Amino acid sequence: MQTLRQLGESGGSMRRVTSGLVALALLAGAACAPSNPGKSATRPQAEYLVFYAQGKQSQALEAVADAGGATVGQDSRLGYVLAKGAGDAFVNDLGASQAIVGVSPDRSIGFAAGGRATGSRGFPDASSFKDDSPAEPLAGRQWDMRMIGADRAHAKAPGTKQVLVGVIDTGIDGKHPDIAPNFNRQLSRNFVTDRPKDEYGETLDGPCEAAGCKDPIDEDDDGHGTHVASTIASPINGIGIAGVAPGVQLVNIRAGQDSGFFFLKPSLDALTYAADIGVDVVNMSYFVDPWLFNCKSNKSDTKKQQLEQQAVITGMQRALDYARGKGVTIISALGNGSTDLGAPKVDKASPGYPRGDEKTRQVDNSCINVPAESDGVISVSAVGPSGRKAIYSDYGIEQTDLAAPGGDVLDGVDAKVTRSILAAAPEHVLRATGRIDSSGKPKGADVVQDCERGACSYYQYLDGTSMAAPHATGVAAILISRFGKPGPGGLALAPATVEDLLYKSADRRSCPSPRGYVYKSYGQSVTHDCQGEQSRNGFYGHGIVDAWKAATFEP
């Protein structure tokens, strides 16, 4: 999806939606990333996404030519031209045209949302949780599924293979034993080309693993997307865990780099592809970067930077509208910055790409996080095992639509990794990051090994609104399985109807009393103010998603 807001979730991924551990760092007063002094701001000729006003395509093409650029492609569905030009002058000249509404470099601009959780206490391996129940071997660790009644819902409404769930993320490990049975290889696509280095020559994705730097459709070199997919639909197969909707199909629609950044164009391509193939619901546990908050006319930004933010806002909204118009329900992580999104004040994380370009600027409620605050998106906050809003989770009465388990290592006495969300992890990623040793044994409490059926599979505890959103996505898949009608790709149910059913089936939660909830940790404290009523408020939205009610109620 960042630890207080994928301002740094799992390594590079989700640098924009932070997790519970990030929250710890923020509470402790962690320093911001240093700048990159001395690095040249000069950029070579590059490609740009040039968004034009409705009916102004021909004028946009003329503007590109007049600015000394060349058109190399276009997408009339979303109203943009892909143009090649050099330097800030090219962008500024385009911005002077009344036909142009936004200009963004075609480069990495986002992170995934979900953080790696760690714990100071050891925890027994999977064998310690064996019992005589028919549940999956690691079901005893899934407090999240019990909280939303998914463990009971599995027998009643596990979901159907006629429902397609798109995971727009860093990829899916389609060979993982606890994902493979539900992985749709034929429909999966990778819209990302790995980039070994960024514009400054610093390491970005690292060496390419595949020819042409294009990873196979069943690989995830970050782990974030695999965790999300597992939470949604790990099957009931006697291995590891079960997801919220273990009977539906997973489609990998990759838009994130190995490093966790997301290009604008792959995000647009992913949404339009999902719409065109009949995907029913997509999970977007990330935000589009390089701007944590996208402002159309912030005085501290250059004209080029303003045009870039306008392009992110406009381009993503067009893609979201296109997808919803074709029947795709869109669910997003709200963010991990521990921030009231209705009253943001300072943004110290933008522009977040290339790393080191960040600056401090004043922001307000006219600036938005994309896609969490875009129109037509169901945005999800995170709760811990006690049901309280997680310390790292963003919130806001205008922004929070639903809540779901996302994990919170601080939700109780001391910090415990088992309060995070357990889901599948790619073995090769755990090896590369040193989380398992040469024999395959986990090195820390955040990783769990299950060798129940001979071959071992791996799982990891993560925190974040990135982990909350897929719970809501799984519940949406249950509802579509129950109430959908035959349509493109299998079953179809209007996004507005899915949204209404999600809200009706949610477990209503009131704001805490007093409304100013004080989080305390390691001698530090921070207060989050909850606004609204039980029917909808800034912490829980319309309530915590409820898989059991979604599987049984009649609206």
Side-chain angles (χ1 to χ4, degrees):
M1 243 126 28
Q2 304 169 20
T3 315
L4 250 184
R5 175 212 159 144
Q6 223 184 11
L7 268 181
E9 262 175 3
S10 52
S13 105
M14 183 122 183
R15 187 193 127 95
R16 295 306 119 94
V17 184
T18 26
S19 83
L21 297 179
V22 170
L24 277 173
L26 293 181
L27 288 175
C32 297
S35 60
N36 265 333
K39 290 190 176 181
S40 172
T42 302
R43 299 287 193 276
Q45 190 173 65
E47 291 185 353
Y48 296 87
L49 301 176
V50 182
F51 293 89
Y52 51 81
Q54 185 174 7
K56 300 294 185 180
Q57 182 183 43
S58 60
Q59 291 93 324
L61 295 173
E62 292 177 3
V64 169
D66 290 344
T71 299
V72 295
Q74 53 186 300
D75 189 329
S76 59
R77 296 171 301 178
L78 304 185
Y80 71 83
V81 170
L82 188 61
K84 182 172 290 187
D88 293 359
F90 174 69
V91 175
N92 291 334
D93 286 348
L94 287 175
S97 170
Q98 294 184 350
I100 306 302
V101 296
V103 183
S104 173
D106 181 14
R107 59 166 170 73
S108 302
I109 61 169
F111 282 96
R116 299 193 193 282
T118 59
S120 58
R121 298 187 179 183
F123 207 73
D125 64 22
S127 62
S128 301
F129 286 84
K130 292 180 180 178
D131 57 36
D132 296 328
S133 72
E136 299 293 82
L138 302 181
R141 298 172 179 258
Q142 292 186 279
W143 62 265
D144 52 321
M145 298 300 169
R146 293 190 292 276
M147 173 182 280
I148 67 173
D151 55 337
R152 292 180 292 150
H154 290 159
K156 184 74 175 179
T160 170
K161 287 291 190 292
Q162 291 179 287
V163 171
L164 301 177
V165 178
V167 178
I168 303 180
D169 213 293
T170 60
I172 298 177
D173 179 4
K175 297 183 290 292
H176 192 287
D178 220 3
I179 287 178
N182 289 340
F183 184 70
N184 189 314
R185 186 178 304 275
Q186 181 179 1
L187 293 178
S188 293
R189 296 290 185 274
N190 176 11
F191 291 102
V192 169
T193 300
D194 291 343
R195 296 190 174 187
K197 297 182 181 298
D198 66 15
E199 282 95 325
Y200 289 146
E202 301 288 344
T203 297
L204 184 62
D205 296 323
C208 295
E209 301 91 355
C213 290
K214 195 85 168 179
D215 291 335
I217 57 173
D218 59 358
E219 283 193 11
D220 176 11
D221 290 328
D222 177 90
H224 188 272
T226 297
H227 197 281
V228 165
S230 176
T231 297
I232 296 169
S234 271
I236 298 174
N237 59 353
I239 299 173
I241 68 167
V244 178
V248 304
Q249 293 191 67
L250 293 164
V251 183
N252 175 26
I253 311 177
R254 181 179 167 185
Q257 304 292 131
D258 286 350
S259 53
F261 285 97
F262 284 75
F263 288 102
L264 176 59
K265 189 173 186 301
S267 291
L268 303 179
D269 291 343
L271 280 166
T272 52
Y273 175 73
D276 290 342
I277 66 170
V279 163
D280 296 290
V281 54
V282 296
N283 190 96
M284 302 179 72
S285 285
Y286 69 90
F287 73 79
V288 178
D289 225 8
W291 303 92
L292 176 58
F293 290 100
N294 292 274
C295 313
K296 291 187 176 180
S297 56
N298 193 299
K299 293 181 180 179
S300 66
D301 298 333
T302 66
K303 181 62 177 177
K304 180 182 178 181
Q305 291 172 335
Q306 291 174 357
L307 286 168
E308 180 177 42
Q309 292 166 78
Q310 291 167 19
V312 171
I313 294 169
T314 301
M316 284 298 291
Q317 191 60 62
R318 289 178 180 179
L320 294 164
D321 291 345
Y322 180 83
R324 276 181 61 89
K326 293 242 180 166
V328 183
T329 296
I330 301 161
I331 296 179
S332 171
L334 189 60
N336 305 326
S338 197
T339 299
D340 181 352
L341 295 179
K345 294 179 175 60
V346 180
D347 177 9
K348 296 181 179 180
S350 304
Y353 180 89
R355 296 185 180 98
D357 278 3
E358 300 88 345
K359 62 180 179 178
T360 298
R361 59 183 187 145
Q362 303 300 310
V363 295
D364 56 32
N365 198 29
S366 67
C367 304
I368 67 172
N369 177 294
V370 177
E373 294 188 80
S374 299
D375 293 338
V377 175
I378 300 169
S379 296
V380 186
S381 66
V383 301
S386 73
R388 76 171 190 179
K389 184 190 76 67
I391 186 172
Y392 57 80
S393 179
D394 286 343
Y395 57 101
I397 191 167
E398 299 172 347
Q399 293 79 15
T400 308
D401 296 310
L402 289 167
D408 187 349
V409 297
L410 301 178
D411 188 8
V413 179
D414 298 326
K416 291 186 178 180
V417 68
T418 51
R419 297 183 188 128
S420 300
I421 305 299
L422 185 69
E427 179 177 350
H428 76 281
V429 173
L430 297 177
R431 290 189 182 279
T433 55
R435 302 311 307 140
I436 59 178
D437 63 22
S438 58
S439 67
K441 183 179 179 180
K443 289 185 177 181
D446 60 315
V447 175
V448 178
Q449 180 189 59
D450 175 29
C451 304
E452 189 74 12
R453 291 197 169 186
C456 295
S457 54
Y458 293 89
Y459 304 82
Q460 188 169 28
Y461 285 104
L462 297 180
D463 270 3
T465 55
S466 284
M467 285 63 253
H471 288 85
T473 299
V475 174
I478 291 174
L479 291 166
I480 297 167
S481 296
R482 289 192 64 203
F483 302 109
K485 305 298 182 185
L491 294 179
L493 191 62
T497 302
V498 178
E499 183 175 351
D500 181 62
L501 293 175
L502 278 169
Y503 298 163
K504 286 180 177 177
S505 63
D507 177 17
R508 305 280 191 206
R509 295 292 177 98
S510 300
C511 285
S513 181
R515 290 176 177 267
Y517 187 85
V518 180
Y519 296 89
K520 296 181 179 180
S521 177
Y522 299 103
Q524 307 250 350
S525 65
V526 61
T527 301
H528 293 174
D529 293 313
C530 182
Q531 300 179 31
E533 307 304 324
Q534 186 181 46
S535 58
R536 181 171 186 180
N537 58 67
F539 277 17
Y540 303 104
H542 294 274
I544 298 176
V545 296
D546 191 323
W548 173 247
K549 190 173 180 181
T552 57
F553 87 128
E554 294 298 331

